[in-house]
Amino acid sequence: MSGRISTHVLDTSRAVPASGLKVELRLLEAVGGRLLATGITGADGRLSKPLWDGDLVPGGEYELTFWVGDYLRQQAAADEISFLDLVPIRFRVSNGDENYHIPLLLAPGGYSTYRGS
């Protein structure tokens, strides 16, 4: 039995994958959580490997943090200030042998997410 946590980021304002965007995964078992994985999205908006892969995903509450402010500032003129900075997405894992794919659809003024497959 094994589980997986993965993500990808699409820049919907430019209709392209968001490359060069930092992502962190934390297990929120204590204040600040425990950092489990970090990565940078590639040209396809995906990380080079899942944030969690192989063993059962421990049950509990997790947080994916997307460093969208840095990404958006790289895409805009140097004097523009990004509305968004860090985008945290919290989710709960109850069945550790499932896949949890959490995409981020990003634009300068907002974002959306969903549980993918």
Side-chain angles (χ1 to χ4, degrees):
M1 298 172 83
S2 65
R4 175 181 287 180
I5 298 175
S6 60
T7 189
H8 74 274
V9 184
L10 300 176
D11 183 337
T12 59
S13 68
R14 297 174 50 230
V16 297
S19 65
L21 195 148
K22 181 179 176 181
V23 181
E24 290 182 344
L25 175 67
R26 293 182 183 276
L27 176 59
L28 299 178
E29 58 191 5
V31 175
R34 180 168 48 110
L35 182 64
L36 299 177
T38 187
I40 306 289
T41 58
D44 62 355
R46 298 177 184 275
L47 303 174
S48 61
K49 61 181 183 173
L51 293 157
W52 184 279
D53 193 16
D55 296 330
L56 288 174
V57 181
E61 188 173 0
Y62 289 79
E63 182 175 275
L64 270 174
T65 304
F66 297 87
W67 296 67
V68 301
D70 293 342
Y71 168 80
L72 291 170
R73 282 186 290 276
Q74 291 173 359
Q75 308 309 313
D79 59 349
E80 281 191 47
I81 297 174
S82 174
F83 170 69
L84 296 171
D85 191 25
L86 298 178
V87 172
I89 298 174
R90 290 192 175 184
F91 62 98
R92 181 162 302 281
V93 169
S94 57
N95 187 353
D97 64 347
E98 291 185 6
N99 292 330
Y100 293 83
H101 184 70
I102 300 98
L104 183 71
L105 306 177
L106 175 63
Y111 62 90
S112 65
T113 189
Y114 58 94
R115 181 172 177 188
S117 55

